[in-house]
Amino acid sequence: MTDTPQTDTHADAVEVAGGRLIRTQGVTAPAGFRGAGIAAGIKASGKPDLALVFNEGPDTAAAGVFTTNKVKAAPVLWSQQVLTAGALRAVVLNSGGANACTGAPGFQDTHATAEHVAATLSDWGTETGAGEVAVCSTGLIGDRLPMDKLLAGVTEIVHELAGGISGGTDAAYAIMTTDTVPKQAALHHADKWNVGGMAKGAGMLAPALATMLSVVTTDAVATAAQLDEALRAATRLSFDRLDVDGATSTNDTVLLLASGASGVAPSQEELNAAVLAVCDDLADQMMADAEGVTKRVTVTVAGAASESDALIGARTVARDSLVKTALFGSDPNWGRVLAAIGIAPITLDPDRITVSFNGNPVCIDGVGAPGAREVDLSGEDIALRIELGVGDAEVSIRTTDLSHAYVEENSAYSS
Amino acid sequence: MTDTPQTDTHADAVEVAGGRLIRTQGVTAPAGFRGAGIAAGIKASGKPDLALVFNEGPDTAAAGVFTTNKVKAAPVLWSQQVLTAGALRAVVLNSGGANACTGAPGFQDTHATAEHVAATLSDWGTETGAGEVAVCSTGLIGDRLPMDKLLAGVTEIVHELAGGISGGTDAAYAIMTTDTVPKQAALHHADKWNVGGMAKGAGMLAPALATMLSVVTTDAVATAAQLDEALRAATRLSFDRLDVDGATSTNDTVLLLASGASGVAPSQEELNAAVLAVCDDLADQMMADAEGVTKRVTVTVAGAASESDALIGARTVARDSLVKTALFGSDPNWGRVLAAIGIAPITLDPDRITVSFNGNPVCIDGVGAPGAREVDLSGEDIALRIELGVGDAEVSIRTTDLSHAYVEENSAYSS
C-alpha cells in the first residue's frame, strides 16, 4: 500500500444517530463481514483494483439502489437482477474498467465473475450461488475487462479472505479511480450493533446517485424490506444531494448488506438513522475529494413552497457553470445566483428572494445589499443560502466550484 | 473605433432564403433605418457602450421575444410592456450594466431613458412617445446605471443620428460586452427588400435565447402579427438552439422592426425564411465567439421519436460538462456521450444507439466501434452525431467545449 496516499484520518469520533461515527473503519467494522483488496492487474498502473466484501452471516438480507441512467453497465443489470431475491453473500468490485457499453459479451463477463466468486467461496466452505453475488465495476466506459486477470484475481482475493484478514480498508483502496483518498465510515451504536461503509466517487457526481460505488454493511438483524427502506431513505438525503456536475454514471450502485451477527434488531427508525449517518459522512468525504475541487460549497434553498421546489432550486444553482466559476474566483457574484434560480421551474417571486454567502446578506428582496461585492469568499468552505420567502421547505445540496483543475482532470485523458 | 477589434470580415456573400447574405452590414442595411453607437462613459474602460436603432418608417410594426427567466431585468419588463402595442420607433441599448435586480428605482431608470429618447427624437422632428421606445441593457447584474452619463449619451447619440450617419456597425460595437467581435448580418432579397441584424452574446449562452441582445430590422411591409410569427419561428430554430452553458440571462431580448420602406410585402414564408437566415447566421457568429471557445461543436440527435425528444437529447449532451471537457481535450470519449444521452428524459434503447464524431463511427448499437479511441478530434470543428434508431426526428444544437479559458473568463472578474 506504499504507492497510495494514506487514509484521511478525520478520526475524531462524532456522536450521531445514537452512536459514535469514525472514519478509520469501514465495511468490516460490523461483525460478520470480511473484506479484502488486491492488485489484480486490471489497472495498467498496478494499483489495487479488485475488492471483495463477504458476509459470513448468519443472515444474508440485502438491498440495493442503482443508477437511473437508461444506459446501464453490465454489472448494474446483473446486480439489479440478483437483488430481486433480497439476499447477498458477497460483493465483488473492480476499478480499472466500467464494463459499460460492452454489449452481451460484457454481460457474460459479469456473469462469469459472479460464478467464479461463488465457486471459489463454495470451495472454501461457504456454499454460495452466483445469484448471491453482486458485481460492481468502475472506470472507463466502453472497454471489455481483462477477464484472465480478473478471474485469477478472484481466486487470489478469496484466498486472502480465507486467511482471516479483515481488510475493509484494503477494499476501500481497491475501488478508487480518480479518488485521491479512500472513503470509509463506521457507526458503533450504543445498543451494540454497527453500520460500516465504503465509497468511491470523485467525478460525474450527480443524482440520482453521485457516480459512485458504495457498499454499506451492518450486523443488525433486519429484513431485506427494512434494509431497502433504510437504504432508499439514506441515499435520497445523502448521495442524491451531492451534485458536482449534473452528470450521472452508467455504473452507480449502493448496496446494503446485513449479517445479523450482533443479534440486535433495531427499530426501523434507528436503522434508518444509522445508515443515513454513514451515507451522509461518505457523501461529505466524496465532496471534499471531488475532481478539481478548490471550494466545498453547500447550496441551501429555504422558504420554498415544497421540499421538491427547494430541491430543484438548490440543484439548479449547484449545477450552474457561471455560479461555480464565480465561486472558484471567490467572487460573491449574487447576480448569477439570481439568474440561476430564476430558471428553476419552481414557485418564486423575484422581489422576495434573499441571498447570503457565509451568513453575509448580498441580496435582499431581489436587490443588492450594501457591501455585497466586498464579501470575502477566499476560504475553502462556502455556504450559499437562498431564501425564497414563499413557504417553509428547505433543502441543502453539496457541490463544488468549477476550477481549472476540473477541466484539466476531465480533458487530459479518458476516464 | 481604434480601440476595438475590426469587424470579422466573413464578407463572402452566401446565397440563402432567396437572397444574398453578408456579414459586413447589419441593422441599417434595410431602408428606413438609422443606427449609431457611442462611448457614453457607462463602461469604465471608455469603450463604446450606447447604441440606438431608429426606424424612419413609414411603418413602425415590431415584435419581440424575451427571456423566460423569472428574474427579469427592468429593461425586459419595460420592453415587454411596450411591445404589447406592436410598434416601435426606436431601440436604445446599453452595455456596461444589466439594470437587473435593481428594484423599482431600476425600472424608473429604464422608464426615464425611454422618455428621454422619445423627447430628444421629438425635438429633432420625429414625434415619438416613450411607449414606442424599447430599452435593452447588458452587463453586470445588480448595479444601478449611471443615469447622468446615460441620459447625456442619449442626447448625443440622437444628434449623431440626426447628422445622417448610418452607423449600424457602430451600434454593433457599442453593445459588446465580453464579445471579441461585433456580430452583424444582412440579407438582400432578390425581390428588393432586406433584413439586417446585430447581436451580442458570448457568455450565459442558453435557451430560451442565448444570453443576448439582438435587433433585427427589415424594410419589408409586414404587420406586427407577421413579424411576431417570423421572429418566434426564427429564434426557436436559431438562438434557442445555441447552448453553451445552460445558463439563461435576466436580459435576453430579440426585437424585429419593420419600416416598410421597400414597399414590398413578401409572403409570410419568405419573411420567415429571411429572418431565420439572419438570426441563424448571427447565432453561428455567437457560437464562434463564445467565451473561452476552442472547439465549435454541433450536437445532432437523429432517429428520435419526436422533435421534442431530439431537442432535449441534443441539449442534454451539449450541456454535459464531462462531454465538453473531453472535447476540449480532443478526446473521442464516446462513453461519456452515452452516459449523457442516457439521462435525457426521452425514448431510447441503449442497445440501438450509434455515435459518430466527424463522420467516424465510434459506437454502434451501444457498443464501441473498432478504432474509436483513435479518431482525430484535434481540429476546431466537431460534429457529434447520435442516432437513436427509434424514429425519424432530428435536431442539431450548437455548443462549445469547456476550456480553461471559459473557467478563466468567468472566474477572474464579475461580469
Side-chain angles (χ1 to χ4, degrees), chain B residues 76-305:
Chain B
V76 169
L77 296 171
W78 170 264
S79 299
Q80 279 186 313
Q81 186 178 312
V82 160
L83 255 300
T84 56
L88 285 180
R89 179 59 77 180
V91 184
V92 61
L93 311 93
N94 76 274
S95 52
N99 196 10
C101 305
T102 46
F107 189 81
Q108 286 159 13
D109 290 344
T110 294
H111 189 174
T113 304
E115 288 281 6
H116 192 57
V117 169
T120 315
L121 286 171
S122 298
D123 284 348
W124 174 41
T126 304
E127 198 58 45
T128 307
E132 298 173 281
V133 180
V135 181
C136 302
S137 299
T138 180
L140 186 63
I141 297 172
D143 288 342
R144 296 278 300 278
L145 291 170
M147 287 305 292
D148 51 340
K149 292 173 180 167
L150 203 161
L151 295 180
V154 164
T155 306
E156 181 186 340
I157 203 166
V158 171
H159 290 166
E160 281 234 0
L161 275 186
I165 296 167
S166 180
T169 300
D170 290 346
Y173 271 103
I175 60 174
M176 291 165 56
T177 52
T178 56
D179 307 67
T180 65
V181 292
K183 286 108 188 161
Q184 297 191 97
L187 183 109
H188 299 285
H189 198 277
D191 292 344
K192 310 286 186 200
W193 57 283
N194 308 285
V195 177
M198 65 177 183
K200 67 79 50 177
M204 291 179 74
L205 294 173
L209 304 189
T211 293
M212 54 166 301
L213 303 179
S214 181
V215 178
V216 181
T217 57
T218 180
D219 49 21
V221 176
T223 65
Q226 288 176 308
L227 297 175
D228 189 69
E229 176 180 330
L231 189 62
R232 285 181 193 284
T235 54
R236 188 175 70 82
L237 297 173
S238 57
F239 301 125
D240 276 358
R241 294 194 176 173
L242 174 64
D243 195 330
V244 169
D245 52 22
T248 302
S249 139
T250 50
N251 290 57
D252 293 330
T253 301
V254 182
L255 302 172
L256 174 57
L257 286 68
S259 69
S262 71
V264 180
S267 69
Q268 184 73 52
E269 290 65 35
E270 289 173 316
L271 184 66
N272 289 0
V275 173
L276 173 59
V278 167
C279 290
D280 193 58
D281 195 72
L282 291 171
D284 200 54
Q285 294 180 52
M286 290 165 77
M287 170 174 70
D289 193 31
E291 287 173 354
V293 63
T294 78
K295 305 280 189 184
R296 295 183 294 264
V297 182
T298 304
V299 177
T300 301
V301 169

Side-chain angles (χ1 to χ4, degrees), chain A residues 1-335:
Chain A
M1 214 53 65
T2 52
D3 60 346
T4 45
Q6 290 305 298
T7 305
D8 185 18
T9 52
H10 288 85
D12 296 339
V14 177
E15 301 292 325
V16 62
R20 296 176 69 242
L21 187 133
I22 58 173
R23 286 184 171 176
T24 47
Q25 301 176 358
V27 288
T28 50
F33 287 95
R34 297 191 194 202
I38 64 168
I42 304 166
K43 283 179 179 166
S45 66
K47 290 192 178 181
D49 50 22
L50 188 66
L52 187 65
V53 177
F54 172 63
N55 181 357
E56 296 184 298
D59 300 342
T60 58
V65 175
F66 301 91
T67 183
T68 55
N69 200 309
K70 294 190 196 73
V71 179
K72 290 174 171 55
V76 169
L77 296 171
W78 170 263
S79 298
Q80 279 186 314
Q81 186 178 312
V82 159
L83 255 300
T84 56
L88 284 180
R89 179 59 77 180
V91 184
V92 60
L93 311 93
N94 76 274
S95 52
N99 195 10
C101 305
T102 46
F107 189 80
Q108 285 159 13
D109 289 344
T110 294
H111 189 173
T113 304
E115 288 280 7
H116 192 58
V117 169
T120 314
L121 286 171
S122 298
D123 284 347
W124 174 42
T126 303
E127 199 56 46
T128 307
E132 297 172 281
V133 180
V135 181
C136 301
S137 299
T138 180
L140 186 63
I141 297 172
D143 290 340
R144 296 278 299 279
L145 291 170
M147 288 304 291
D148 52 340
K149 291 172 180 165
L150 204 160
L151 296 180
V154 165
T155 305
E156 181 187 338
I157 203 167
V158 171
H159 289 167
E160 281 234 1
L161 274 187
I165 296 167
S166 179
T169 300
D170 290 347
Y173 271 104
I175 61 175
M176 289 164 59
T177 52
T178 55
D179 307 67
T180 65
V181 290
K183 286 107 188 162
Q184 298 191 96
L187 183 110
H188 299 285
H189 197 277
D191 292 344
K192 309 288 186 198
W193 57 282
N194 308 284
V195 177
M198 66 177 183
K200 66 80 48 176
M204 292 178 75
L205 293 174
L209 304 189
T211 294
M212 56 167 299
L213 302 179
S214 181
V215 178
V216 181
T217 57
T218 180
D219 49 21
V221 176
T223 65
Q226 288 176 308
L227 297 175
D228 189 69
E229 177 180 329
L231 188 63
R232 285 183 193 285
T235 54
R236 188 174 71 81
L237 297 172
S238 57
F239 300 125
D240 276 357
R241 293 195 177 172
L242 173 65
D243 195 331
V244 169
D245 51 23
T248 301
S249 137
T250 50
N251 290 58
D252 293 331
T253 301
V254 182
L255 301 173
L256 175 58
L257 287 68
S259 69
S262 71
V264 180
S267 70
Q268 183 75 52
E269 291 65 35
E270 289 173 317
L271 184 66
N272 289 1
V275 173
L276 173 59
V278 167
C279 290
D280 193 58
D281 195 73
L282 291 171
D284 200 53
Q285 294 180 52
M286 289 164 76
M287 171 175 69
D289 192 31
E291 287 172 353
V293 62
T294 78
K295 304 280 189 185
R296 295 182 295 262
V297 181
T298 304
V299 177
T300 301
V301 168
S306 66
E307 184 181 334
S308 167
D309 268 18
L311 181 62
I312 291 167
R315 220 186 262 307
T316 302
V317 175
R319 287 181 181 178
D320 189 273
S321 292
L322 290 165
V323 171
K324 291 160 84 82
T325 46
L327 296 180
F328 171 57
S330 302
D331 178 3
N333 195 329
W334 60 270

Side-chain angles (χ1 to χ4, degrees), chain B residues 300-357:
Chain B
T300 301
V301 169
S306 68
E307 184 181 335
S308 167
D309 267 17
L311 181 62
I312 292 167
R315 221 187 260 307
T316 303
V317 175
R319 287 181 180 180
D320 189 273
S321 293
L322 289 165
V323 171
K324 293 159 83 83
T325 47
L327 296 180
F328 171 56
S330 301
D331 177 4
N333 196 331
W334 60 268
R336 292 186 182 175
V337 175
L338 260 72
I341 194 81
I343 59 173
I346 62 175
T347 301
L348 61 80
D349 176 346
D351 298 329
R352 294 169 76 174
I353 300 173
T354 293
V355 178
S356 67
F357 286 112

